[in-house]
Amino acid sequence: MFPEDKVIEIFCMADDFCKFFDAMMEKHTLKETKRRKYHRDGTLSKAEVMVIMILFHNSGYRCLKHFYLEHVSGHLRHLFPHLVSYNRFVELEKEVAIPLALFIKKVLLGKCTGISFVDSTPLKDCRNQRIHIHKTFKGIAQRGKCSMGWFFGFKLHLICNEKGELLNFMITPGDVDDRKPLEHKAFVEFLYGKLVWDKGYIGKGLFQRLFVDGIQLITKLKSKMKGAIMRISDRVLTRKRAIIETINDELKNIAQVEHSRHRSFENFIVNMLGALAAYCFFPKKPCIAAKEHWTTN
C-alpha cells in the first residue's frame, strides 16, 4: 500500500494532467448545442477516480467493492471528502478510460535506453468451459493459444527496458499473432538499439523491416537454424528475458491486471490501465544489475 504522501503525489500528477486534458478537449471539440441537462456533474473528479483505481491495484485487495467500501470509505475519507456510492463510482470509471490511458502514455512510461524487451501475456476472461455462455465480451474477445494452452480473452503486449520500466503497451484479441503489434509504427517508433524477444517472434520480413528503422532483433536460435552466429553479448541478453516475464507475473499476481469478474468492456479497459499505472509507481521493479549490464554494451 502506498504511504499517504505518495498518494498525494500521485493525485497531484493526475490532477495536473486532467486539467490539461480538459483544456485540450474544450479547445478542440465541437461545442454542443444548448439543451436540458438530465444529470448533474459528479462530485468526484476524474483525477480522484484515477487515483482510487491505481490504489486498488496496489492494495492487495481482490475485490474493488470491498476495497472501496472498507478501505477508501473507512480509512481514506480525509483524502477523498466527496466520495460517492460504490454503484456511482463504477459508472464514473468509464469516464476516465481515455484520460487514464493518455496519463500512462504521456507521463508514466519510461524512456528507451538502447536495450528493450518485448513479450505478450494472455488476459483470460473466463474458463474454457464457459466460453459458449460468456456474453460480456462476445464479438470482442477471441480464442488464442499460449505456452499454457488455449484461452479465451485478450493479449497484453508489453515493451520494457533493462530497468524494468514500461516503454509501451497494446491490447489485442487473443487470436492476434504476437508479431502483429511490432508492425505498427506507433508501437515501436521510440525504440532504438536492441530488442530482445522469444522464438515466437522470429520472422525474416519483420527483422528486415525493423532493422531499417534502427532496431536489431535478438532471439534465441532454433535448432533448425544451423550455421547462424550470435555474439556473446547478445546471447547474454537473451538470458535476461526473465525481466519482462517477471513484470507480467507482477501485473497478474500483485496488480491484478487479470480477473473474470468484468461486467462491461469499458471497465475491463480501466482495470487494465489501472494495473499498468500502479506498476509504474512500484518503488522496486525487476531490473538487470549494473555489474551485468556492461557485458551487453
Side-chain angles (χ1 to χ4, degrees):
M1 185 67 68
F2 293 124
E4 186 170 313
D5 57 343
K6 185 65 175 180
V7 176
I8 297 174
E9 178 187 347
I10 296 173
F11 172 76
C12 291
M13 294 173 62
D15 189 53
D16 290 342
F17 178 82
C18 286
K19 289 178 180 177
F20 175 79
F21 174 80
D22 290 338
M24 291 296 100
M25 289 293 291
E26 181 71 20
K27 180 178 179 182
H28 296 287
T29 55
L30 297 175
K31 307 296 181 182
E32 292 186 1
T33 56
K34 291 185 177 180
R35 58 182 180 180
R36 183 178 176 182
K37 292 185 66 175
Y38 292 94
H39 301 284
R40 63 183 177 86
D41 296 331
T43 58
L44 206 61
S45 67
K46 291 187 181 70
E48 289 176 308
V49 176
M50 290 165 56
V51 172
I52 291 175
M53 290 302 302
I54 293 173
L55 294 180
F56 165 66
H57 289 283
N58 185 63
S59 65
Y61 277 78
R62 302 292 298 179
C63 177
L64 176 60
K65 184 175 183 179
H66 292 165
F67 170 76
Y68 187 81
L69 297 179
E70 295 176 8
H71 189 76
V72 178
S73 298
H75 302 284
L76 299 180
R77 185 171 285 275
H78 62 290
L79 296 178
F80 303 96
H82 303 295
L83 287 178
V84 296
S85 67
Y86 174 71
N87 290 337
R88 176 57 178 160
F89 177 80
V90 173
E91 294 176 356
L92 293 175
E93 281 186 57
K94 302 175 183 180
E95 299 180 5
V96 302
I98 295 178
L100 182 54
L102 294 176
F103 177 61
I104 298 173
K105 290 275 189 178
K106 300 298 183 182
V107 180
L108 301 184
L109 294 183
K111 295 183 179 180
C112 181
T113 60
I115 301 175
S116 307
F117 301 83
V118 62
D119 198 11
S120 66
T121 186
L123 300 180
K124 302 176 184 178
D125 293 327
C126 66
R127 295 182 179 180
N128 289 340
Q129 296 89 334
R130 298 178 58 87
I131 292 176
H132 296 291
I133 61 175
H134 188 77
K135 298 180 180 179
T136 304
F137 300 118
K138 186 176 182 180
I140 304 176
Q142 299 293 336
R143 288 190 182 188
K145 190 176 184 180
C146 62
S147 58
M148 301 300 292
W150 290 94
F151 69 95
F152 178 78
F154 302 89
K155 281 185 180 180
L156 176 61
H157 305 265
L158 297 175
I159 300 178
C160 74
N161 58 23
E162 82 280 5
K163 300 177 182 178
E165 299 172 337
L166 296 182
L167 301 181
N168 210 346
F169 62 92
M170 181 181 291
I171 182 79
T172 64
D175 60 348
V176 172
D177 190 289
D178 289 345
R179 292 168 289 191
K180 279 293 182 181
L182 294 176
E183 297 177 1
H184 294 272
K185 190 172 182 180
F187 190 57
V188 296
E189 63 181 351
F190 56 90
L191 294 180
Y192 64 90
K194 299 181 179 182
L195 179 62
V196 185
W197 53 4
D198 62 16
K199 297 178 182 178
Y201 287 85
I202 292 179
K204 185 176 180 181
L206 182 61
F207 179 91
Q208 295 175 344
R209 189 181 307 115
L210 292 180
F211 189 79
V212 172
D213 295 330
I215 303 173
Q216 179 186 355
L217 299 177
I218 300 175
T219 184
K220 290 184 178 180
L221 301 178
K222 292 184 177 181
S223 57
K224 63 181 181 179
M225 299 172 66
K226 297 180 179 179
I229 300 176
M230 178 181 291
R231 297 173 58 183
I232 296 179
S233 60
D234 293 343
R235 189 181 298 274
V236 171
L237 273 180
T238 60
R239 298 174 182 172
K240 303 302 178 182
R241 278 198 70 258
I243 183 174
I244 195 167
E245 294 173 355
T246 304
I247 292 175
N248 288 330
D249 181 73
E250 291 189 358
L251 284 172
K252 289 189 174 182
N253 297 311
I254 299 178
Q256 300 185 41
V257 72
E258 176 188 53
H259 69 76
S260 59
R261 302 182 298 275
H262 297 294
R263 295 298 176 264
S264 70
F265 179 73
E266 294 84 357
N267 285 4
F268 159 74
I269 293 296
V270 174
N271 176 82
M272 181 201 68
L273 294 173
L276 294 175
Y279 172 82
C280 292
F281 284 110
F282 281 3
K284 293 183 179 179
K285 299 180 177 67
C287 62
I288 298 177
K291 62 181 179 181
E292 298 176 353
H293 181 238
W294 70 271
T295 61
T296 64
N297 292 332

